[in-house]
Amino acid sequence: MINSSYARRGIAVAPHSLAAQSALAVLREGGNAAEAMVAAAATIAVAYPHMTGIGGDAFWILADPGAAPVGIDACGPAAQAASIGFYRERGLGAIPARGALAANTVAGTVAGWELALALRPGKLPLARLLEDAIHYARAGVPVTASQEANTGGKRAELEGVPGFAARFLPGNQVPKRGALFVQKPLAETLERLARAGLSDFYRGELARSMAHELRALGSPLALADLEGYAAREVRPLELAHRLGRLYNMTPPTQGAVSLAILGIAERLGLARLEPDSADHVHALVEATKAAFLGIRDPYLTDPAHMKLEAQALLAPGRLDALAAEIDLRRARPWGGRSLPGGTVWMGVIDGAGRAVSFIQSIYHEFGSGVVLPGTHINWQNRGCSFSLEARSVNALAPGKKPFHTLNPAAARLADGRAMVYGTMGGDGQPQTQAAVFTRYAVFGQGLQRAVSAPRWLLGRTWGSMSETLKLEARFPAELADELRRRGHAVEIAAAFDESMGHAGALVRHADGTLEGAFDPRSDGAVAGF
């Protein structure tokens, strides 16, 4: 088993090693955790372009020692022209997942970078924070196996989408692993942001260029949608746990689900179970079902449209009731309501103990597939998660935020440890968070073991369309057989299956030592000093 990485003055983890190194370089130059994360976010938008980009959304948790954690909602709303009627008039029963009609929400991630730097000002100029990303875009970055596989797998679906081939199929070929992937127009876009400032994305020359191109391609987005957008500071959701205080993001994310799973598991007596046993997996899978069916599906959406305050969904009485419905010997029927999706999670802790849990996404692999010709920005398709049924909790409406599977996690344990952790993977995110947290904090396993150990996944995620309970092949056959006896529809996945997500975790111990773990399923690394 791979050992954890340790540091004292700063540490970062990312699912691509170059992003972790960009964060570390900023920390070494005296930058703070927020500055380091902006650098990592820009680099990974270049180095892992099938998973993330500046045409998507993001969410942050900033956790400084001795202060209440702060959240950043950098999720863009639907265009003012995007209504149920807009799509019905075009003969559609659902919002397409690809193409210009899928590019129907403002991209919020750049506004999130701007707000993070305003909330946690540092000493490094924006041009320095974007420097690595600009270099990798202009000089080229080696293609990962993940990028090659996803480009090849999605080529037939996406090569006809405007702009996709120009950016992602150089020479009309799928880029091969190890080849240099050059993105000069994107480098020029990042340089423009470095010169003009991040607000140029929404209220400047870049905004005007993007709005013109989006409308020309058939997107409902307009310049006014970009000009009216700003990321928001929010108070993260909080769960009182036997081991300390746990934090996650507010709606429209499913952060409440991630916290609810851990709260329900505590009520099931998880700490008394054998770690990584059939009992452990069953308890968390059933807690996942309860949280999805009892909290996510009926309630979670844009907070301006919710029936209940999100924190109320985590009230002790509600979690008690959800836990009481669970049979520890028998699986609850699963109706297959899960959602696919892919993204990146990253973490940073600086020498002062300031921690960031960050997640950035374009939703499906390559988002909408639309790449704007003048800037090579790949626009997200997060708005395809809206429903065209007016009675749905996530019904489309102009200016409404879409439901997000994204959710960055953080914890402050009673023994003085502080933790940030998370993963990509659609509906796998709360499940993998539960696996990592319970292995590390509840059962006392090493941090790297908690991330690397065999994982499970109920339902779909990116790269997977079946609604089974998937187990990595490293689980014992006896465990799979026992779960089948309890009524689970079990499917065996590869030993280190990328569909299980790219997880990561960082911990600051009470003595100031920093510890990190990355996911061997990714192309990631921990970087520290």
Side-chain angles (χ1 to χ4, degrees):
M1 186 63 66
I2 301 171
N3 293 323
S4 297
S5 298
Y6 290 90
R8 289 289 294 181
R9 296 174 61 188
I11 197 165
V13 62
H16 195 292
S17 59
L18 293 179
Q21 291 173 39
S22 289
L24 179 64
V26 167
L27 293 173
R28 282 187 176 276
E29 293 172 29
N32 63 35
E35 292 175 293
M37 187 57 78
V38 169
T43 290
I44 205 163
V46 173
Y48 237 29
H50 56 301
M51 297 300 296
T52 189
I54 63 173
D57 284 345
F59 297 93
W60 299 64
I61 291 181
L62 305 168
D64 294 358
V70 171
I72 295 175
D73 174 343
C75 164
Q80 288 300 317
S83 64
I84 291 175
F86 175 89
Y87 288 92
R88 295 292 191 196
E89 290 164 5
R90 287 159 175 76
L92 297 171
I95 298 171
R98 307 294 194 179
L101 293 179
N104 62 4
T105 61
V106 174
T109 195
V110 172
W113 298 358
E114 185 175 33
L115 180 55
L117 295 175
L119 293 174
R120 299 292 183 270
K123 69 177 190 178
L124 299 182
L126 178 62
R128 171 62 193 92
L129 304 183
L130 303 187
E131 180 181 326
D132 286 3
I134 292 167
H135 168 74
Y136 293 131
R138 173 165 286 108
V141 63
V143 173
T144 62
S146 178
Q147 182 181 345
E148 179 185 1
N150 280 277
T151 307
K154 298 297 179 182
R155 177 174 185 170
E157 179 182 351
L158 291 172
E159 64 181 335
V161 176
F164 178 84
R167 179 174 173 192
F168 294 111
L169 296 173
N172 203 34
Q173 299 295 320
V174 173
K176 298 300 182 184
R177 178 180 180 179
L180 280 181
F181 186 61
V182 176
Q183 304 165 83
K184 289 183 179 178
L186 183 61
E188 293 169 0
T189 300
L190 292 169
E191 283 185 322
R192 181 189 296 182
L193 288 172
R195 290 193 308 270
L198 297 175
S199 63
D200 193 58
F201 194 96
Y202 302 96
R203 287 165 288 279
E205 180 186 344
L206 181 57
R208 290 187 288 274
S209 168
M210 294 189 305
H212 173 75
E213 292 182 342
L214 283 162
R215 293 305 294 269
L217 293 172
S219 166
L221 283 163
L223 179 60
D225 296 311
L226 298 174
E227 290 177 335
Y229 180 70
R232 295 176 56 245
E233 179 181 351
V234 297
R235 180 179 179 179
L237 300 178
E238 184 174 351
L239 178 74
H241 189 277
R242 177 178 55 88
L243 297 175
R245 313 293 294 188
L246 312 186
Y247 304 92
N248 215 301
M249 268 302 295
T250 54
T253 82
Q254 62 176 341
V257 169
S258 293
L259 293 176
I261 290 170
L262 294 172
I264 292 167
E266 276 296 288
R267 288 158 170 80
L268 298 177
L270 183 71
R272 298 191 298 272
L273 304 180
E274 180 184 349
D276 297 324
S277 64
D279 288 338
H280 178 194
V281 176
H282 176 84
L284 288 179
V285 169
E286 294 305 298
T288 297
K289 293 175 184 176
F292 281 174
L293 299 176
I295 291 178
R296 188 193 70 180
D297 294 349
Y299 296 110
L300 294 185
T301 185
D302 183 331
H305 294 256
M306 283 182 57
K307 303 173 186 175
L308 295 175
E309 289 290 333
Q311 189 64 51
L313 297 172
L314 298 170
R318 183 177 293 272
L319 298 183
D320 290 344
L322 292 174
E325 298 173 358
I326 292 174
D327 185 341
L328 286 175
R329 306 306 303 172
R330 191 70 190 165
R332 178 180 187 169
W334 174 239
R337 299 175 174 85
S338 59
L339 301 169
T343 181
V344 295
W345 177 87
M346 301 187 290
V348 173
I349 305 178
D350 64 25
R354 294 168 296 209
V356 175
S357 184
F358 172 82
I359 197 158
Q360 180 173 275
S361 176
I362 49 174
Y363 198 25
H364 295 179
E365 307 94 322
F366 304 104
S368 67
V370 170
V371 176
L372 303 184
T375 59
H376 271 208
I377 294 172
N378 177 203
W379 212 266
Q380 68 182 351
N381 65 336
R382 182 60 61 174
C384 75
S385 65
F386 282 121
S387 171
L388 297 183
E389 298 297 329
R391 290 183 294 179
S392 168
V393 69
N394 282 303
L396 174 64
K400 184 177 180 180
K401 293 190 175 187
F403 171 75
H404 263 276
T405 51
L406 308 187
N407 61 118
R412 286 176 171 165
L413 304 182
D415 63 7
R417 288 175 291 173
M419 181 178 184
V420 290
Y421 61 107
T423 182
M424 68 82 153
D427 278 2
Q429 289 185 35
Q431 301 180 62
T432 295
Q433 286 186 20
V436 171
F437 182 83
T438 59
R439 282 169 165 157
Y440 175 72
V442 176
F443 294 123
Q445 295 181 4
L447 190 64
Q448 186 62 60
R449 178 182 175 186
V451 171
S452 299
R455 290 210 288 266
W456 63 89
L457 172 69
L458 174 68
R460 297 187 294 164
T461 185
W462 77 288
S464 171
M465 297 304 293
S466 64
E467 291 289 352
T468 55
L469 173 60
K470 298 160 189 67
L471 303 176
E472 285 188 322
R474 291 176 293 142
F475 276 113
E478 295 79 12
L479 181 145
D481 290 342
E482 174 58 27
L483 291 171
R484 288 188 181 99
R485 279 192 288 271
R486 298 188 192 189
H488 296 281
V490 173
E491 179 181 348
I492 303 302
F496 286 92
D497 198 306
E498 193 178 28
S499 70
M500 298 288 169
H502 298 159
L506 300 177
V507 172
R508 184 176 190 266
H509 293 271
D511 66 357
T513 301
L514 305 174
E515 182 179 6
F518 80 97
D519 200 324
R521 302 164 185 83
S522 73
D523 297 281
V526 173
F529 78 118

